[in-house]
Amino acid sequence: MSKEQLSFHDKLYALARNYWWCWQPEVVSIFQDLDRIRWRQLDHNPILLLDEFTPEQLENRGREAVLHSRVNYAYRRWVEYMNSKHTWGDTHAGVLGHNPVAYYSAEFGIHESLPNYSGGLGVLAGDHLKSASDLGIPLVACGLFYQEGYFSQQIDETGWQREVYPYVDNVRLAVKQACFPNGEKVIVQVDTRKGPIFAQAWQADVGRIKLFLLDCNIEQNSPEDRKLTARLYGGDQRIRIRQELLLGVGGTRLLTALGYEPSAIHMNEGHSAFAPLEYIRMRMVEDGLSFDEASRKVVWHCCFTTHTPVPAGHDRFDWNLYEEHLGPIADQLGLGAAGLVGLGRVDPNNQHESFCMTVLAFKCSRRANAVSNLHGVVSRRMWTDLWPWRSEEELPIGHITNGVHVSSWLAPQMRSLYDRHLPLEWYLKSGEPEVWAGFDDVTPGELWETHQSLKNRMINFARGRMQRRAERIGASAAEIAEIQTCLNPETLTIGFARRFAPYKRADLVLRDIEFLGQIIADSKRPVQFIFAGKSHPADDNGKAILQRIFRLTQEPGFKGHVVLLEDYDINLARHLVQGVDVWLNNPRRPLEASGTSGQKVVLNGGLNCSILDGWWAEAFDGQNGFTIGSGRSHVNQDVQDDRDAKALTSVLMDEVIPLFYERDEDDGLPNSWIARMKRSVRTLGWRFNADRMVMDYVQQAYIPAAGGVSCDMSRFG
Ligand SMILES: *Cc1c(COP(=O)(O)O)cnc(C)c1O
């Protein structure tokens, strides 16, 4: 059957089965127009939505809503996209040829309907795949399939976080079973001292990129192991090392079984650091090499991205867990467990040092990178003992600053403004500065109106989420009615949403509660706050911070002006970053390796108000946002928190609030504020952008790893 003869129904399913749809506003709006209410109820999952219709009903609904030509057009664009030959990758990454980059990550945040992420690391990996697809980079990705996801967050009447684990039915997701060409299911096996673990795999198509997710829920496994991949970051250390063994060794066996011979191996964070061991084992078996010879060859191809300077963020395993799980492969590598353990220690001979995945990843890769300039400095300082013969500046740790995938985070309304002022097909070259210069021509009025309409949309959405919670906990009709008037669209609105890890200090602005009360109650220049974020299920400190904020939202004077939205996910993130006036980011410097949520805000015209940490330390130019403090740290945490809290009140008081409320006498617009919005988009949009990031990875990491010539080797050994 030729493509033209595909039915309306077939074309819709074809679109729904490739996550490409989720960064095409016009495809999203097709699904939305099929049935707005069910679209929302079904978590924006197009497969679930389409399954609600019989083919005849779908045909009728398509005619009723006049969707046929829109679907034909979208389908044609998708086919063109999939077959396009003139991509950036075709011209710049040809050396990778038919051997793709193998990209490993424990989480992938592609869309809210695929709950395979906990926060920034996952969303970054998802954005990486989307940009790699857009740019035409040969890349294949590997992760785990979490049937219960991370968790859904409910906040109870006392403000305490409750975790709910919805079951994800793979039959109703846009994934298909990974099979050999003859149609037989691929099953991989990894060995431990106490027996093998088996996994099947699901394939999700993300544009041109294939993402394979390993799933232990098969009958070959013991009942206990069938649950091994049920939850992301959900178990104890034993589950953790088993998941990581599966990701690194199992993932590599899966890619090999499917016929991939990667030209470069990219470990996104240390969770996948066992992968090089399996590649080394294969070289030894296939080429008859010794461990040393094989590892020299494999390490050449490996790149590692480290993501955190927070000590608890680095997985460490004690000897027993290590021996049980790495013993078999250590024997096959001819080293034995005692010989291999040194690869996971800074000092191989230190019996007291536990086995660390980050150390293994550094030792198994020729080049490594941090995720912002400042994080590069901090990481080199942190890991100098790994290379005692080199000075700090000479360590083989560079940096590639994170970026966000523009089409995924840019609001459709803002996108049409870009379409009017930026060059034709600007989104194909959004990583280039010249493309963004046209933003200067946007008139203040149109930018402000667009922003206001997005802000209204966000407030509506926030009220909806609050109402849903109120109904669940059985709130009174009066309380529910009250929600419908909370948050004023004319009021300066500050957003704070991210994982509630204590170092992010969600409650910093609560340190001076009197000041907070004053700026909220100010009759001429009021301020309001929207908070959201999940705490790790085992992190009671994070949950206590959440509860503190919740309690504030219930107090007279704050109620309706400070709100806390539950269940932070990609969908909620999208609404917030598209609608806020100001995005607050106040981590304890220098613990925020990069941060990316503020970059999503940039694209939509919001302004960042941030500590000089992570990406912001290299982004702020004095006029493209606001900075809290001067980038100092203090060995005493309390002193640092106090100093930053004071700096936060003064930047709000002296800069943010006055500038927002300064209106032009003629047109009533906050023109100085709008000038800052424009400067933010123009100076930051192209840099903190996943296309630019992936181009950097190609040139600085993948091409050298594949044996080609690098463009910038300055930071890599
Ligand atoms: C972007 C994003 C993050 C990352 O936010 P940070 O500012 O880096 O902490 C976390 N969670 C979700 C759902 C996101 O979309």
Side-chain angles (χ1 to χ4, degrees):
M1 188 162 64
S2 83
K3 281 174 181 128
E4 290 71 43
Q5 286 162 341
L6 288 181
S7 69
F8 180 68
H9 169 272
D10 293 339
K11 287 182 180 174
L12 274 170
Y13 268 98
L15 289 169
R17 287 201 180 103
N18 186 315
Y19 284 96
W20 178 79
W21 69 265
C22 76
W23 70 94
Q24 313 303 318
E26 75 264 29
V27 189
V28 174
S29 74
I30 289 171
F31 293 132
Q32 217 166 30
D33 289 348
L34 271 174
D35 187 332
R36 255 166 212 279
I37 292 171
R38 278 190 281 186
W39 177 243
R40 199 177 320 133
Q41 287 167 346
L42 298 171
D43 280 334
H44 302 164
N45 178 339
I47 303 280
L48 288 182
L49 180 74
L50 295 176
D51 283 354
E52 297 264 309
F53 295 85
T54 64
E56 295 72 40
Q57 286 170 335
L58 202 56
E59 186 67 36
N60 289 339
R61 177 64 195 141
R63 217 166 290 129
E64 190 179 60
V66 209
L67 296 175
H68 278 77
S69 60
R70 284 166 65 191
V71 169
N72 288 338
Y73 176 71
Y75 183 80
R76 184 158 49 79
R77 272 194 54 235
W78 176 61
V79 171
E80 275 170 21
Y81 177 90
M82 294 299 286
N83 296 321
S84 161
K85 291 278 173 286
H86 305 287
T87 61
W88 184 88
D90 283 316
T91 7
H92 294 84
V95 56
L96 302 178
H98 296 294
N99 300 80
V101 175
Y103 182 92
Y104 294 80
S105 180
E107 36 175 321
F108 288 93
I110 289 157
H111 184 256
E112 55 267 27
S113 62
L114 185 60
N116 207 267
Y117 62 95
S118 78
L121 179 71
V123 174
L124 180 84
D127 281 3
H128 194 104
L129 301 194
K130 292 169 181 176
S131 278
S133 172
D134 288 348
L135 293 168
I137 310 301
L139 186 144
V140 59
C142 191
L144 301 179
F145 185 80
Y146 307 106
Q147 206 132 32
E148 299 180 7
Y150 184 49
F151 66 88
S152 293
Q153 178 194 53
Q154 294 188 352
I155 298 173
D156 72 12
E157 288 95 309
T158 70
W160 197 252
Q161 168 178 299
R162 306 283 163 193
E163 296 91 26
V164 185
Y165 293 90
Y167 178 83
V168 185
D169 188 351
N170 41 43
V171 187
R172 313 197 73 192
L173 278 175
V175 297
K176 59 189 172 216
Q177 182 101 41
C179 292
F180 291 108
N182 67 5
E184 193 191 326
K185 278 193 206 180
V186 179
I187 302 284
V188 299
Q189 172 181 344
V190 294
D191 297 314
T192 75
R193 288 277 192 240
K194 295 190 179 157
I197 307 168
F198 299 93
Q200 62 181 343
W202 301 98
Q203 176 185 333
D205 292 331
V206 184
R208 286 182 269 239
I209 304 296
K210 292 189 175 76
L211 165 61
F212 294 99
L213 301 169
L214 289 160
D215 173 11
C216 282
N217 190 9
I218 51 174
E219 59 191 18
Q220 288 88 331
N221 280 323
S222 67
E224 192 197 351
D225 279 339
R226 290 190 71 151
K227 293 200 207 118
L228 183 56
T229 49
R231 295 177 184 178
L232 168 60
Y233 307 145
D236 54 12
Q237 286 298 91
R238 186 181 161 77
I239 290 189
R240 189 76 164 226
I241 196 170
R242 288 169 93 76
Q243 286 190 343
E244 294 183 354
L245 187 70
L246 195 69
L247 175 62
V249 176
T252 301
R253 293 197 176 153
L254 174 78
L255 295 184
T256 306
L258 292 169
Y260 291 105
E261 292 180 29
S263 53
I265 294 144
H266 186 174
M267 292 168 268
N268 185 45
E269 191 52 308
H271 308 117
S272 53
F274 295 137
L277 302 180
E278 172 63 7
Y279 285 105
I280 295 169
R281 190 195 64 79
M282 287 193 292
R283 285 271 78 79
M284 290 171 65
V285 172
E286 285 166 21
D287 303 344
L289 301 175
S290 69
F291 174 81
D292 283 343
E293 292 162 339
S295 66
R296 242 190 322 262
K297 290 203 177 213
V298 168
V299 166
W300 175 274
H301 296 286
C302 293
C303 346
F304 167 50
T305 303
T306 178
H307 283 271
T308 179
V310 180
H314 300 273
D315 281 324
R316 292 178 178 279
F317 299 111
D318 66 25
W319 172 263
N320 289 336
L321 278 183
Y322 159 80
E323 206 283 330
E324 178 188 340
H325 294 95
L326 273 293
I329 196 166
D331 291 347
Q332 289 171 316
L333 294 172
L335 301 176
L340 184 70
V341 71
L343 278 180
R345 286 179 180 156
V346 175
D347 173 4
N349 300 318
N350 182 352
Q351 307 287 325
H352 303 292
E353 208 183 310
S354 53
F355 185 90
C356 176
M357 296 299 279
T358 311
V359 173
L360 178 66
F362 275 122
K363 291 195 177 182
C364 287
S365 44
R366 190 173 62 133
R367 65 206 76 245
N369 71 279
V371 291
S372 71
N373 180 59
L374 177 61
H375 180 225
V377 174
V378 172
S379 300
R380 286 188 288 278
R381 191 166 307 151
M382 201 169 159
W383 298 105
T384 69
D385 291 349
L386 272 174
W387 298 273
W389 59 91
R390 292 188 182 191
S391 73
E392 207 168 287
E393 291 71 36
E394 289 169 348
L395 300 189
I397 308 177
H399 79 271
I400 293 175
T401 304
N402 286 344
V404 296
H405 183 249
V406 176
S407 296
S408 296
W409 296 104
L410 181 63
Q413 293 90 326
M414 198 56 86
R415 190 189 173 103
S416 41
L417 204 143
Y418 281 40
D419 285 341
R420 286 202 296 281
H421 295 280
L422 271 41
L424 204 65
E425 302 200 310
W426 60 268
Y427 46 85
L428 296 180
K429 25 185 200 268
S430 71
E432 299 167 20
E434 308 77 49
V435 171
W436 295 72
F439 206 79
D440 269 345
D441 304 332
V442 174
T443 64
E446 65 178 331
L447 180 55
W448 191 245
E449 273 166 29
T450 309
H451 170 66
Q452 268 316 111
S453 80
L454 288 167
K455 188 171 168 185
N456 278 290
R457 195 166 157 268
M458 169 188 73
I459 289 175
N460 258 328
F461 181 86
R463 289 173 183 166
R465 278 242 166 152
M466 289 165 73
Q467 181 171 346
R468 199 177 68 185
R469 173 176 178 277
E471 285 165 359
R472 193 190 66 237
I473 63 168
S476 70
E479 277 175 283
I480 292 176
E482 213 176 56
I483 289 173
Q484 291 317 316
T485 58
C486 80
L487 299 173
N488 180 344
E490 301 305 318
T491 296
L492 169 59
T493 305
I494 300 180
F496 182 104
R498 44 182 61 80
R499 287 183 305 113
F500 266 47
Y503 80 87
K504 292 181 184 260
R505 299 188 297 189
D507 55 349
L508 190 74
V509 71
L510 275 60
R511 259 179 117 91
D512 188 346
I513 219 72
E514 203 179 317
F515 169 77
L516 189 62
Q518 279 166 13
I519 59 173
I520 282 168
D522 193 301
S523 59
K524 288 209 187 67
R525 305 187 307 181
V527 181
Q528 61 196 7
F529 287 84
I530 304 180
F531 287 94
K534 292 177 180 175
S535 175
H536 184 276
D539 179 9
D540 283 351
N541 292 327
K543 290 186 192 181
I545 296 173
L546 193 81
Q547 188 173 43
R548 253 196 97 199
I549 293 172
F550 173 83
R551 289 190 174 140
L552 188 75
T553 67
Q554 304 300 302
E555 275 182 34
F558 293 95
K559 194 168 187 179
H561 307 287
V562 178
V563 305
L564 174 62
L565 305 180
E566 68 179 9
D567 205 19
Y568 186 50
D569 68 351
I570 288 179
N571 182 33
L572 176 51
R574 202 186 297 113
H575 280 89
L576 293 181
V577 300
Q578 292 174 354
V580 292
D581 297 308
V582 171
W583 193 248
L584 182 61
N585 178 43
N586 49 34
R588 200 173 281 132
R589 190 181 193 265
L591 298 184
E592 189 63 87
S594 168
T596 50
S597 56
Q599 303 172 349
K600 304 165 192 167
V601 171
V602 162
L603 300 172
N604 294 289
L607 292 180
N608 279 274
C609 178
S610 173
I611 294 273
L612 281 168
D613 197 11
W615 76 283
W616 192 244
E618 67 200 78
F620 181 60
D621 72 356
Q623 294 164 70
N624 54 7
F626 305 96
T627 279
I628 304 163
S630 56
R632 290 161 70 203
S633 304
H634 197 286
V635 287
N636 182 322
Q637 227 175 63
D638 247 354
V639 174
Q640 185 171 352
D641 290 356
D642 253 339
R643 186 156 69 193
D644 289 345
K646 288 206 177 71
L648 173 57
T649 56
S650 45
V651 70
L652 290 177
M653 204 59 217
D654 303 338
E655 298 183 51
V656 180
I657 300 174
L659 199 70
F660 181 85
Y661 284 105
E662 183 190 302
R663 302 295 156 119
D664 191 286
E665 289 200 5
D666 296 329
D667 55 17
L669 292 175
N671 281 310
S672 309
W673 185 274
I674 296 169
R676 224 172 254 240
M677 289 166 76
K678 286 173 70 170
R679 189 171 175 94
S680 164
V681 175
R682 193 170 51 70
T683 59
L684 304 173
W686 70 272
R687 281 172 72 197
F688 300 99
N689 170 315
D691 279 12
R692 188 277 308 149
M693 171 180 79
V694 170
M695 295 191 290
D696 282 353
Y697 274 105
V698 168
Q699 295 180 320
Q700 298 176 34
Y702 301 160
I703 290 178
V709 180
S710 82
C711 295
D712 175 9
M713 288 279 282
S714 57
R715 272 292 171 204
F716 295 108

